[in-house]
Amino acid sequence: MDTLLVHCPSMAKRPCCSSLTESPLVLNPSSRTPKPDPLDRLLESFLGLSDCPPLSLDLSFDRLLESRPCDSDQDDMINRAMRLGSALLEAGRRSARKRATFHNAVVWALPPDLTIKVFSMLDTQSICYAAATYTFFRKCASDPLCYANIDLTAVVPRVNNGVVSTMIQRAGKVLQSIKLGLVPGPTASPGSSQSLVYTIRNSVDASGFSWNDKRSRQGKESSILTRSCLSSLSGDSDAPGALLRRLHLYNIERMDNAALSAALSACPSLLDLEIVGLYVELRQTLESVSKHCHLIGRLHFESSKTGRDDSLKVQTCTDIVNNCPHLISLALRGFKLHDCKIRVLVKGFRELKYVDFSRSYSITGAFLRSLGGNAGGNQLEVLILRDCMHLKEVEVAKFLTAAIAGDFKLLRHLDISNREGLASEGDWYHRCYSTSVIPVKQLLDKRPGFCLLAEFPDEGSFSEIEQMVASEAYSDFSSPSQPSNHTSDGTMFTSSSEISYHSDQGSGNEDCRESNYIIYEESSDEVDFLAG
């Protein structure tokens, strides 16, 4: 009873001295210091041997071995010495990490909230590096704000679905942007004229990695993104994708139409979508954007196979114009786009300021005639038609003449460069560029701040287009058992020596003559044939 009263804080009665002395539960403060353990004393003596010359330790250990009568005892002694050395090494490293953690916690001046704020300004790789330093940083790096902007782009595969899923789940509802996939290297930047289409199978790239290095990395499934890499975006109304603003996907070879469509359906707040080098169809992607991403302001889509995707329909163009009225920047690079469809897009998006149709094999420039005045396109600031193989010299000349006359007052950048020259009016095979036809000097005199990029081969160095096109088109499209077929837009698709991106020569715009063009019945089966 007396013993219980001594330790009851609610009792006013003070125990007597005898009770304190006799009570086994009352400890002497001096007894709180642990008694030295025999192992501690032995280890301390053993550590004192670190000051001995290594030769002395070697000789001493050899004498101990020689004192053992048989080989098995000697082997056992060697193994025990190695285990002891490893245990001491690990204990030393662990203690060093603890001391470093304590030191960092003392010298790091910022509290957790400000540390998280700093981390939220870093790129994803830097956050991972910081989290690996010590415990405090790791706890701060686990905050959702640190993963609001996920950037896992790289030159070679380094992350898998699990890493992406973990970061998306950590971000939760604060997720703002995601960038995934392979990029060519530091020389290629999004928004430039340089193609970002890239495959790990390339023999050498700007990073200096050889094919053998890449092949060994590519073979590791743990470093490959698959079609389900964005599955964590989906879920209920509180899913991470609900408030996602920016989604950039680069050269993820295993991503397909269904997986991309599912990801877009989970991102109703998306403002910026960039897709490069994915094996997905233009039509299905635009249909998904039109259906789910009504707030989209920037759309950049670069084909993985230049000129082979002819899937876009006029109805799809109309739907996305009606459902996504806030689009300001549109880039569709490397697709087979006809003038009639381009006309619907450029005239339909009233707020459009940036347009890039580089490497489109079917654009002749006829859509430029319907722009200007009250017809639409007056908000354009940047127009890029680089390496459009069917772009006609006469259409460019008419457009520049209209700009000189006062149309397109906001236009400040025009790129009509072509590595093979522009197409002539009568014969697509005849490549040309003449300053007497295109009023470049007059335009620059009239509008001094205008940026006109017109990079062409030197006169007389235009290559044999017919031979080049025939060989490329035959390898991409033709089949010996199919001498001729109709494309999805009703134009003739011929194989063998007659194939040349359709005749116009080959523009594919026969169904879009002037303003009274006819829209032919479009069949998805025909598109599937061309894609195959």
Side-chain angles (χ1 to χ4, degrees):
M1 182 67 180
D2 291 339
T3 302
L4 295 176
L5 291 177
V6 169
H7 298 281
C8 183
S10 62
M11 300 299 293
K13 182 179 178 180
R14 297 179 60 188
C16 62
C17 297
S18 59
S19 299
L20 288 172
T21 305
E22 297 174 358
S23 176
L25 299 180
V26 178
L27 300 178
N28 192 332
S30 61
S31 65
R32 295 176 184 175
T33 303
K35 295 181 179 180
D37 189 275
L39 181 61
D40 297 345
R41 290 195 295 267
L42 180 61
L43 181 59
E44 185 176 3
S45 301
F46 186 77
L47 292 177
L49 298 176
S50 61
D51 297 331
C52 295
L55 181 59
S56 299
L57 292 176
D58 291 343
L59 294 175
S60 178
F61 189 73
D62 289 341
R63 287 193 295 269
L64 287 176
L65 284 178
E66 292 174 357
S67 67
R68 296 300 184 266
C70 59
D71 291 342
S72 60
D73 292 341
Q74 293 180 357
D75 292 339
D76 180 64
M77 177 173 286
I78 293 175
N79 291 333
R80 283 188 293 158
M82 294 178 64
R83 288 199 302 270
L84 178 60
S86 298
L88 287 175
L89 179 62
E90 181 59 31
R93 288 175 175 174
R94 183 168 58 252
S95 298
R97 289 194 296 268
K98 289 181 179 179
R99 289 176 57 82
T101 297
F102 177 77
H103 173 76
N104 292 335
V106 172
V107 300
W108 183 255
L110 299 181
D113 56 339
L114 292 182
T115 302
I116 293 172
K117 181 66 174 179
V118 172
F119 282 4
S120 68
M121 301 177 183
L122 301 178
D123 60 272
T124 306
Q125 188 177 28
S126 298
I127 293 175
C128 294
Y129 287 152
T133 55
Y134 82 110
T135 305
F136 177 71
F137 277 6
R138 183 168 65 251
K139 292 179 179 179
C140 292
S142 299
D143 191 89
L145 288 177
C146 297
Y147 299 93
N149 299 286
I150 300 174
D151 186 353
L152 295 175
T153 55
V155 178
V156 292
R158 293 180 178 175
V159 298
N160 56 17
N161 294 359
V163 174
V164 177
S165 177
T166 298
M167 291 191 175
I168 291 177
Q169 292 174 3
R170 284 184 180 180
K173 293 187 293 184
V174 304
L175 184 62
Q176 294 290 314
S177 69
I178 298 178
K179 295 182 180 181
L180 297 179
L182 304 178
V183 292
T187 57
S189 59
S192 67
S193 59
Q194 182 177 353
S195 174
L196 294 175
V197 175
Y198 169 77
T199 173
I200 192 63
R201 300 186 183 93
N202 293 343
S203 57
V204 176
D205 61 34
S207 66
F209 286 94
S210 68
W211 160 240
N212 292 329
D213 295 332
K214 292 177 182 177
R215 180 173 56 186
S216 61
R217 289 173 177 264
Q218 186 184 21
K220 298 178 181 179
E221 292 297 321
S222 60
S223 298
I224 296 295
L225 294 174
T226 68
R227 63 187 305 275
S228 60
C229 62
L230 295 175
S231 59
S232 299
L233 293 175
S234 305
D236 53 22
S237 57
D238 292 331
L243 299 178
L244 186 67
R245 296 290 190 268
R246 183 183 297 107
L247 178 61
H248 292 187
L249 305 175
Y250 302 100
N251 305 296
I252 304 176
E253 296 183 358
R254 300 188 181 185
M255 180 72 71
D256 56 21
N257 289 308
L260 180 60
S261 178
L264 294 177
S265 66
C267 306
S269 303
L270 201 63
L271 301 177
D272 182 354
L273 176 62
E274 184 163 337
I275 301 172
V276 176
L278 272 61
Y279 291 91
V280 294
E281 193 181 63
L282 175 61
R283 180 185 62 179
Q284 294 191 30
T285 302
L286 293 189
E287 287 176 352
S288 298
V289 172
S290 175
K291 183 178 181 180
H292 304 292
C293 308
H294 298 163
L295 302 179
I296 192 76
R298 177 181 180 269
L299 176 59
H300 181 112
F301 196 173
E302 188 167 353
S303 175
S304 60
K305 296 182 178 180
T306 301
R308 296 185 63 177
D309 191 338
D310 191 25
S311 62
L312 186 61
K313 312 296 182 184
V314 173
Q315 185 59 49
T316 305
C317 298
T318 303
D319 291 341
I320 194 171
V321 164
N322 294 333
N323 296 331
C324 304
H326 306 294
L327 197 70
I328 296 176
S329 176
L330 176 63
L332 302 177
R333 303 171 65 170
F335 295 98
K336 200 165 191 178
L337 303 175
H338 301 160
D339 285 86
C340 57
K341 300 168 187 177
I342 295 299
R343 184 183 297 113
V344 174
L345 294 173
V346 177
K347 293 181 64 175
F349 291 117
R350 295 293 180 176
E351 301 179 17
L352 199 60
K353 296 181 179 180
Y354 179 98
V355 168
D356 184 357
F357 298 127
S358 297
R359 300 191 304 282
S360 173
Y361 281 3
S362 297
I363 292 179
T364 65
F367 77 95
L368 298 172
R369 305 178 194 172
S370 59
L371 303 181
N374 297 323
N378 284 319
Q379 299 300 317
L380 281 180
E381 297 179 5
V382 177
L383 176 59
I384 302 177
L385 301 174
R386 192 180 190 92
D387 289 330
C388 293
M389 303 305 294
H390 288 87
L391 186 62
K392 293 183 177 181
E393 183 185 43
V394 64
E395 300 294 350
V396 172
K398 291 179 180 179
F399 180 76
L400 295 185
T401 301
I404 294 173
D407 287 339
F408 312 107
K409 295 183 181 297
L410 299 180
L411 189 66
R412 53 182 174 79
H413 182 100
L414 175 64
D415 189 349
I416 55 172
S417 302
N418 198 305
R419 64 181 183 273
E420 306 297 345
L422 298 174
S424 65
E425 175 65 15
D427 184 3
W428 179 80
Y429 293 126
H430 177 60
R431 314 302 292 182
C432 56
Y433 169 71
S434 175
T435 54
S436 62
V437 178
I438 301 180
V440 175
K441 186 177 183 305
Q442 296 90 318
L443 175 64
L444 298 180
D445 291 341
K446 184 73 173 181
R447 301 172 64 168
F450 196 91
C451 178
L452 176 62
L453 296 181
E455 301 171 359
F456 300 99
D458 296 334
E459 187 176 357
S461 64
F462 294 96
S463 62
E464 294 295 333
I465 290 295
E466 182 174 2
Q467 181 179 357
M468 179 195 70
V469 171
S471 61
E472 287 185 0
Y474 182 81
S475 63
D476 285 346
F477 296 105
S478 64
S479 172
S481 61
Q482 304 272 356
S484 65
N485 293 281
H486 286 275
T487 67
S488 60
D489 291 280
T491 59
M492 291 298 296
F493 174 81
T494 58
S495 62
S496 189
S497 60
E498 296 181 2
I499 186 166
S500 57
Y501 302 106
H502 305 301
S503 60
D504 182 30
Q505 306 286 337
S507 67
N509 286 291
E510 288 77 6
D511 57 338
C512 306
R513 296 296 184 185
E514 303 302 332
S515 60
N516 298 322
Y517 57 84
I518 301 173
I519 305 299
Y520 289 86
E521 185 67 23
E522 297 173 322
S523 169
S524 59
D525 294 336
E526 295 165 351
V527 172
D528 293 341
F529 167 76
L530 289 175

